[in-house]
């Protein structure tokens, strides 16, 4: 059974190794997240997310099978998007780096992690949750749509790991 919890700062090495494993295992996958070891998610990003209590992990039988970061930060390309809800930064959450070990794909883990982020948003009184998906990452888009995220638009955004690339923006109204 999947257990989701906030990761502790002492788990940095385990979280880093989780993302390394996901990146390695996704090299042969049809749909790739576009991540690179130590570029995205970078070690600095992971450490800062852990330090701020923004990184959550999913475990099955004591093994890390999923992770994500949930905070108020977003790419500047989110500005000007036709979001359904106007929300100040402190009124919205953004999901980053949601990854699931490919050997656990198809078990609803990404959906459960996303539902957990929605619960966090509701408990904190947020107005909306937003995220972006590398254009063409059909499994990720399916998982987000399944829990009620709606497509907003496609935006060309810059990230260290992908450079300037198209991403689909999604939102969930709380």
């Amino acid at each position: 059974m999947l257990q989701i919890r906030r990761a502790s700062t002492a788990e940095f090495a385990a979280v880093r190794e989780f993302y390394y494993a996901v990146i390695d295992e996704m090299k042969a996958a049809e749909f790739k997240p576009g991540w690179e070891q130590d570029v995205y998610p970078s070690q600095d990003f992971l450490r800062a997310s852990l330090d701020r209590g923004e990184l959550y992990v999913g475990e099955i039988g004591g093994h890390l099978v999923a992770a994500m970061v949930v905070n108020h930060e977003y790419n500047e390309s989110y500005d000007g998007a036709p979001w359904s809800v106007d929300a100040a930064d402190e009124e919205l959450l953004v999901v980053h780096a949601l990854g699931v070990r490919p050997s656990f794909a198809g078990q609803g883990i990404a959906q459960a992690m996303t539902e957990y982020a929605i619960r966090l948003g509701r408990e904190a009184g947020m107005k909306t949750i937003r995220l972006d998906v590398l254009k063409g990452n059909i499994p990720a888009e399916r998982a987000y749509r399944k829990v009620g995220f709606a497509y907003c638009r496609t935006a060309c955004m810059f990230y260290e790991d992908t450079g300037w690339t198209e991403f689909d923006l999604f939102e969930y109204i709380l």
Side-chain angles (χ1 to χ4, degrees), residues 72 90-91 93 118-127:
H72 302 285
E90 63 275 3
E91 297 174 316
L93 290 179
I118 291 167
R119 193 177 100 211
L120 290 172
R122 284 194 174 117
E123 289 172 358
M126 298 290 114
K127 289 183 174 181

Side-chain angles (χ1 to χ4, degrees), residues 2-174:
L2 181 68
Q3 300 293 318
I4 303 172
R5 62 175 176 77
R6 185 184 314 252
S8 73
T9 56
E11 294 178 282
F12 172 75
V15 169
R16 182 190 62 211
E17 292 307 313
F18 163 80
Y19 280 107
Y20 284 179
V22 168
I23 291 165
D24 286 345
E25 293 170 17
M26 294 295 291
K27 285 180 181 170
E30 181 180 358
F31 302 105
K32 299 169 183 55
W35 300 347
E36 291 181 37
Q37 285 187 8
D38 299 326
V39 178
Y40 187 82
S42 72
Q43 291 190 38
D44 290 342
F45 172 74
L46 295 175
R47 193 174 304 281
S49 299
L50 284 165
D51 288 346
R52 292 190 302 253
E54 299 170 347
L55 199 145
Y56 297 85
V57 293
E59 295 177 315
I60 295 178
H63 299 285
L64 254 57
V65 299
M68 69 179 170
V69 172
V70 181
N71 61 28
H72 302 285
E73 299 171 17
Y74 50 87
N75 187 289
E76 64 189 25
S77 295
Y78 280 39
D79 291 333
W83 302 110
S84 298
V85 172
D86 286 331
D89 293 355
E90 63 275 3
E91 297 174 316
L92 63 89
L93 290 179
V94 181
V95 176
H96 307 271
L98 172 54
V100 176
R101 293 287 299 260
S103 54
F104 289 86
Q107 297 181 32
I109 294 172
Q111 180 178 340
M113 295 293 287
T114 307
E115 288 169 345
Y116 190 86
I118 291 167
R119 193 177 100 211
L120 290 172
R122 284 194 174 117
E123 289 172 358
M126 298 290 114
K127 289 183 174 181
T128 185
I129 300 175
R130 297 175 179 163
L131 55 84
D132 56 79
V133 177
L134 184 64
K135 187 163 185 65
N137 187 343
I138 306 303
E141 289 187 14
R142 259 192 232 122
Y144 297 131
R145 288 180 193 273
K146 197 170 192 177
V147 295
F149 276 79
Y151 170 81
C152 178
R153 81 166 186 191
T154 300
C156 191
M157 300 186 338
F158 181 83
Y159 284 114
E160 290 295 323
D161 58 328
T162 61
W164 286 101
T165 308
E166 286 189 328
F167 288 82
D168 289 334
L169 304 180
F170 287 85
E171 69 179 330
Y172 184 97
I173 299 165
L174 296 169

